[in-house]
Every structure is written in C-alpha cells, then in structure tokens.
Amino acid sequence: MDETFDNVFDALSDTAAEAANLTARADLMIGIRQKVTSWDIPQEQAAVRLGLTRPRLNDLMRGKVDKFSLDALVNIATAAGFKLRIALDEPHAA
C-alpha cells in the first residue's frame, strides 16, 4: 500500500516535529525570497538591508533550507519588514 503525505517534508522527516520545522523554514524562505525579489535591487544591497553577507543571501535565494535555522529565518524575515505570527492547525482526522 502506498503511503501519502501532506507535504514533502512529512515524507522526508523522521518525526512530525522535524517536518514542521522544515515546513516553517521553507515557508519563511519563500516569503523572504519573494520580498527580496520585489525590491528590485542588487543582491549586495539586499544583503546589507537584511544584515547578511552576499553569499548567505545567495544561499537563501537558492532555497538552501538546510543552511538556515528557524531562528535565523525569523530574524531575516523581521529585517525584511515582515511581522510574524504563528498559526497552529489541528491535524486532519483520518
């Protein structure tokens, strides 16, 4: 029987907590990347605005989720001008 998952991180992670952490990090990275792209400025300027080095910003823009902690991404998102709020969802009944 084939197993189905709500998202790719559920399939790749050993625990629900690990999957939730990866999902949150990926969601933050996507939002930050979209914001940085909307600024329409060179990456060097965007990196300065976010308090990052250019190589670090490049890792973020390329979606290298394994290189960023959730805490680091919260700080970067705040520097990008986001106000963060955590939403908790109840699991779906099987």
Side-chain angles (χ1 to χ4, degrees):
M1 180 171 159
D2 290 333
E3 194 171 357
T4 59
F5 299 93
D6 288 335
N7 70 52
V8 68
F9 297 122
D10 289 336
L12 297 174
S13 301
D14 293 329
T15 66
E18 183 183 2
N21 187 286
L22 284 168
T23 300
R25 288 164 39 204
D27 288 348
L28 281 166
M29 288 183 86
I30 290 166
I32 295 165
R33 185 172 54 219
Q34 289 171 342
K35 175 76 90 167
V36 169
T37 301
S38 77
W39 291 339
D40 197 29
I41 60 175
Q43 269 199 4
E44 187 66 40
Q45 290 177 6
V48 169
R49 187 181 287 188
L50 296 174
L52 302 173
T53 63
R54 190 168 183 276
R56 186 91 166 129
L57 177 61
N58 192 43
D59 286 342
L60 189 147
M61 298 301 284
R62 292 178 180 264
K64 294 185 178 180
V65 71
D66 59 309
K67 295 191 176 237
F68 294 88
S69 69
L70 185 54
D71 191 52
L73 289 166
V74 166
N75 293 337
I76 296 166
T78 302
F82 286 105
K83 285 189 173 187
L84 299 176
R85 185 180 323 245
I86 295 173
L88 302 175
D89 294 327
E90 292 287 339
H92 300 292

